[in-house]
Amino acid sequence: MVSIDTVASDPNGIYVWLIWLLPFIGALIIPGVVRISKYVPGLTTGRVAIAFAAMSAVSAGSLFLGALDGIEIHDQITWISALGLKAGVLADPLSIIMANVVGWISFLIICYSTGYMKGDKDITRFWFWMMFFIGSMQLIVLSDNLLQIFFGWEGVGLASYALISFWYRDKAKDHVGKEGRTALGIMEYYSPTHSGMKAFIMTKVGDIMMLAGMFMIFAFAGTFGLKELLYETSWAVEMSAQSLLVPAAVLLFGGAVGKSAQFPLNEWLLEAMTGPTAVSALIHAATMVKAGVFLVARLGPLFFALGAAGIMADQFFEIIAWVGAITALLLATQGMVNPEIKKVLAYSTGSQIGYMMMALGVAGLSTQYVDGYTAGFFHLISHAMFKASLFMAAGSLLHVVGSRFMTDMGGLRKQMRKTYAFMWAAGLALMGAPFITTGFWSKDAIFAAVYESGSGWALPIFIIAVLTAVITAFYTTRMIGMVFFGKNSKHIEKMESEGHHIHEAPLSMWIPYGILAVLTIGIGVIGLSAEEGIHHLFTDYLEESFGIHTPHIDLEHSETLGFLSGLNPVALGSSLVAFSVGFGLGYIFYIGRWIDPAKFINSNIFFYALHKLILNRYYLNSMIYWSFVIAPLWLARGLYRYFERTAIDTGMNIGFERAIGWGAKVVQGTQTGVAQSYLYVFGAGVLFVVLILFI
């Protein structure tokens, strides 16, 4: 058993602080670089961004070997002395691995951005928010308390709003959706500023839930510290006795639902594609949407440990598992029909994060907590690599073709051979191609964790997971087929006739996503060993940090059965069938083109209606607008028209004015100026008072 040493003050502690401080420092320096760059040859804001992103990644990398040895660094400084609050960093195996994923993939995306954003007149603002984004995400990952996590949480929310709305002039080319298209009377065509505001508001719903959950716990525990909450659990006993512990946990999960675009707070994710593709890669691969998964991975063991002690109920983990399962299937189906390449990848992101949530939820319903935990986190790592690669490759396509619609592409495999090869590699990982991709091993681990959990919900969730895998393989094959196979589209033919040559992306763009694509295959070849290594690491981490014991499994006999002996045969078979069916159907329709998809859809009223339902996002987006935008505005206008203008302006203002006027005339009529009249009234008044006294 590897022991974990908690270090209060460690020389390596400075590297932990630097991981999240360096991006913030870079963000502050970049505006000043613009002013001095003309005096310093070779100094550009892009190079400064690359330098600080690299230093942050190297700082994270310097701790990686320590994480494998189970070393934990916990360093604190005084923050708010009046409340006894400390700011601190917690570098344990979980956060160090996550910090490396964020740091290195963000570095590659920053390198990619130097080519993608070249010539943009607002490039300084872009670099500022990108670095601010990275720093905020690393703050979430490395914080040792909930309050500090929340500061990073709001930081990524602010940066995402600024980056989604980056092209705030709202030119038509920067919109998402098809102009003129509606669903239930709601326009499905969004500008960058609208999309940024939508993302900001919808994620704030989750943020408020998270804040409420934090302060509920603080009210009982008197601390936000993650370590303190684990060491002294009397707060949990008291909250459980008052039936408040599960609600507080669910409220915290609400923050994860918002940030990770899980059902029902998933509808902002599609409109977030108005930002530059580099932003999409950063948000959907390494940072913001992974924040929710990381929060569940950070807090899940705490609540599971409380459950093992008889304090916590299973409802919390059931909610996580079902939210993940519903989101995975819901968004995967929408990826099958959308014509915009970035939207397909965005749907895919939400769906794959649903897989991660599913695994982390099922982990809490199983006696083998580490299995689901490892599977969910391994899929996070795998997804970060192949999805960042796919988004950056998609950006190259948009850069060259000048259109976000896959119907404007086609036949590009000859002109863009490198992008074609790398998208196949990353796409195969997303599909879960057997034995050679990281996606296969991480999805298979999720299937096995669900199937073996022993939960009453295991079978329905397992069926959803497998069905989602089939759909994932289908829409990924569809995307590659529409982009690279068949004849050139009319849009491309028009471009070439006007003298625009279709060519490969520049070196600065294809190298970053090429590296990640190769990694997905390279790690995939040794995927089973990688998964076992992570499993062993987290087994020790969960036992030493949370007291979560994993029943011992004797592998002596199974090792003689070959390298597949540790795999669940049902999960393995399901993975192979899901890939084969999904890829096969995608090949028939979009690569081999043996059947015309449009004719197939229109050949049957059921398929036509189903296609329309899915294309219209199950009308969830429309219902959100009708319920939370249109209806409140209608109510507000009605109140203004019929209450404020009628009751107040007419009833109060005019009625009150007339009443005052009538009263003034009455008073005016009593002012005769005749002394005898005043004496008469005075005498009548005295007589009236005397009568009252006697009566």
Side-chain angles (χ1 to χ4, degrees):
M1 183 67 65
V2 178
S3 62
I4 297 179
D5 303 320
T6 301
V7 184
S9 180
D10 187 277
N12 290 326
I14 186 63
Y15 296 109
V16 184
W17 290 95
L18 287 175
I19 292 170
W20 67 268
L21 283 173
L22 282 168
F24 282 128
I25 294 171
L28 294 173
I29 289 176
I30 281 171
V33 171
V34 179
R35 294 182 176 274
I36 65 173
S37 59
K38 57 184 177 181
Y39 304 111
V40 182
L43 181 64
T44 65
T45 52
R47 290 177 178 175
V48 171
I50 289 174
F52 277 91
M55 288 189 289
S56 176
V58 169
S59 297
S62 68
L63 303 174
F64 187 74
L65 293 178
L68 298 181
D69 290 335
I71 299 299
E72 180 182 287
I73 301 172
H74 186 201
D75 198 30
Q76 292 182 320
I77 59 174
T78 300
W79 185 11
I80 306 175
S81 56
L83 298 177
L85 297 180
K86 294 182 179 181
V89 289
L90 177 60
D92 55 16
L94 174 69
S95 59
I96 292 173
I97 293 174
M98 186 68 181
N100 275 277
V101 171
V102 173
W104 289 107
I105 294 181
S106 297
F107 166 70
L108 290 174
I109 293 171
I110 292 294
C111 294
Y112 169 87
S113 301
T114 59
Y116 187 82
M117 297 298 292
K118 186 177 181 180
D120 194 291
K121 62 181 180 180
D122 294 319
I123 191 66
T124 302
R125 179 163 53 89
F126 174 82
W127 291 128
F128 173 85
W129 285 114
M130 289 288 276
M131 299 306 295
F132 187 91
F133 205 134
I134 297 169
S136 297
M137 183 63 193
Q138 295 287 32
L139 177 59
I140 292 173
V141 172
L142 295 164
S143 293
D144 75 334
N145 64 84
L146 290 171
L147 187 60
Q148 200 171 307
I149 287 174
F150 192 74
F151 274 86
W153 202 263
E154 292 304 292
V156 296
L158 176 62
S160 69
Y161 164 72
L163 289 168
I164 292 168
S165 308
F166 181 76
W167 285 316
Y168 62 88
R169 293 172 181 85
D170 289 347
K171 296 180 180 179
K173 67 181 181 65
D174 300 323
H175 285 52
V176 295
K178 187 176 181 180
E179 187 174 3
R181 192 176 177 282
T182 62
L184 293 182
I186 301 298
M187 181 68 71
E188 293 284 316
Y189 180 68
Y190 300 101
S191 67
T193 53
H194 181 103
S195 301
M197 186 59 70
K198 181 177 181 179
F200 189 80
I201 291 173
M202 289 197 73
T203 55
K204 283 296 164 288
V205 175
D207 294 355
I208 292 170
M209 293 173 67
M210 178 180 174
L211 194 63
M214 284 170 45
F215 278 101
M216 282 178 67
I217 291 175
F218 181 79
F220 285 86
T223 181
F224 293 107
L226 299 173
K227 286 289 187 182
E228 291 82 354
L229 291 173
L230 179 63
Y231 291 152
E232 175 53 58
T233 59
S234 59
W235 61 274
V237 175
E238 188 175 352
M239 289 187 75
S240 181
Q242 299 185 35
S243 301
L244 292 175
L245 185 57
V246 172
V250 172
L251 284 170
L252 285 172
F253 177 60
V257 169
K259 276 290 186 288
S260 290
Q262 298 293 282
F263 179 81
L265 298 178
N266 58 282
E267 290 300 328
W268 66 267
L269 188 65
L270 287 305
E271 280 67 67
M273 297 302 100
T274 54
T277 305
V279 172
S280 302
L282 192 65
I283 291 176
H284 296 90
T287 55
M288 181 167 158
V289 293
K290 295 294 195 305
V293 180
F294 178 80
L295 182 68
V296 175
R298 175 58 89 192
L299 297 179
L302 169 63
F303 290 120
F304 183 80
L306 294 175
I311 301 172
M312 187 78 180
D314 289 341
Q315 291 95 326
F316 172 62
F317 292 102
E318 289 176 354
I319 291 171
I320 295 173
W322 273 109
V323 166
I326 292 170
T327 307
L329 182 60
L330 182 76
L331 296 189
T333 56
Q334 295 179 61
M336 294 192 300
V337 300
N338 203 279
E340 297 178 60
I341 187 168
K342 285 176 65 178
K343 275 195 172 184
V344 171
L345 293 174
Y347 280 122
S348 173
T349 293
S351 177
Q352 297 302 302
I353 289 175
Y355 265 126
M356 301 170 207
M357 292 294 191
M358 183 196 307
L360 293 174
V362 166
L365 303 175
S366 170
T367 56
Q368 293 274 7
Y369 181 82
V370 70
D371 289 350
Y373 192 82
T374 299
F377 201 79
F378 185 33
H379 197 57
L380 182 151
I381 299 169
S382 174
H383 179 266
M385 291 189 294
F386 63 68
K387 188 53 66 66
S389 180
L390 285 170
F391 263 113
M392 288 189 280
S396 294
L397 294 169
L398 269 65
H399 192 76
V400 172
V401 177
S403 173
R404 61 185 180 272
F405 293 97
M406 293 185 290
T407 50
D408 288 335
M409 302 177 191
L412 292 175
R413 66 185 186 278
K414 295 180 181 179
Q415 295 100 323
M416 303 182 70
R417 295 182 183 277
K418 295 184 181 68
T419 299
Y420 170 65
F422 294 141
M423 282 199 78
W424 259 124
L428 286 171
L430 174 57
M431 288 186 269
F435 309 123
I436 61 169
T437 63
T438 57
F440 169 77
W441 299 111
S442 56
K443 280 187 182 179
D444 182 80
I446 292 174
F447 289 177
V450 173
Y451 188 78
E452 296 173 354
S453 66
S455 166
W457 298 114
L459 183 58
I461 292 177
F462 180 78
I463 293 171
I464 291 174
V466 174
L467 181 58
T468 301
V470 174
I471 297 171
T472 301
F474 174 80
Y475 69 64
T476 306
T477 308
R478 169 182 178 264
M479 176 184 67
I480 293 175
M482 291 182 70
V483 171
F484 294 107
F485 288 84
K487 298 178 181 179
N488 286 344
S489 66
K490 293 181 179 179
H491 174 77
I492 292 177
E493 290 176 352
K494 182 181 178 182
M495 287 182 63
E496 292 181 333
S497 67
E498 294 173 351
H500 298 286
H501 175 62
I502 302 297
H503 55 84
E504 184 58 82
L507 200 69
S508 60
M509 291 173 64
W510 69 257
I511 284 182
Y513 60 79
I515 290 172
L516 292 173
V518 171
L519 278 175
T520 62
I521 301 298
I523 298 177
V525 172
I526 59 168
L528 186 59
S529 298
E531 181 192 340
E532 289 177 348
I534 295 174
H535 191 282
H536 177 72
L537 177 66
F538 282 149
T539 297
D540 293 338
Y541 163 67
L542 292 171
E543 183 165 352
E544 294 294 330
S545 295
F546 298 94
I548 299 174
H549 300 283
T550 301
H552 177 69
I553 300 175
D554 186 8
L555 296 176
E556 182 178 354
H557 174 67
S558 65
E559 288 176 355
T560 65
L561 301 177
F563 82 103
L564 295 179
S565 60
L567 300 178
N568 182 288
V570 175
L572 177 61
S574 299
S575 297
L576 296 175
V577 171
F579 171 77
S580 301
V581 173
F583 177 78
L585 289 173
Y587 190 94
I588 289 170
F589 283 102
Y590 294 99
I591 295 181
R593 312 216 172 191
W594 302 332
I595 301 176
D596 185 349
K599 291 182 179 179
F600 178 80
I601 292 168
N602 294 321
S603 65
N604 185 292
I605 186 63
F606 173 78
F607 290 120
Y608 175 81
L610 182 62
H611 179 271
K612 185 177 181 180
L613 176 67
I614 298 174
L615 187 61
N616 288 328
R617 300 157 73 165
Y618 297 96
Y619 299 101
L620 292 173
N621 186 62
S622 301
M623 287 188 284
I624 287 173
Y625 272 87
W626 277 110
S627 301
F628 298 102
V629 180
I630 306 299
L633 285 175
W634 178 84
L635 179 61
R637 288 166 183 157
L639 287 173
Y640 171 73
R641 179 180 299 173
Y642 299 108
F643 180 74
E644 186 172 341
R645 292 182 62 183
T646 302
I648 296 180
D649 291 351
T650 302
M652 292 292 294
N653 293 348
I654 297 176
F656 187 69
E657 178 184 347
R658 289 178 179 177
I660 293 296
W662 179 81
K665 288 181 180 180
V666 171
V667 173
Q668 183 181 4
T670 64
Q671 306 302 309
T672 63
V674 179
Q676 291 87 340
S677 298
Y678 296 153
L679 288 172
Y680 176 78
V681 172
F682 177 75
V686 171
L687 180 61
F688 180 71
V689 171
V690 170
L691 288 173
I692 290 176
L693 291 175
F694 277 103
I695 292 173

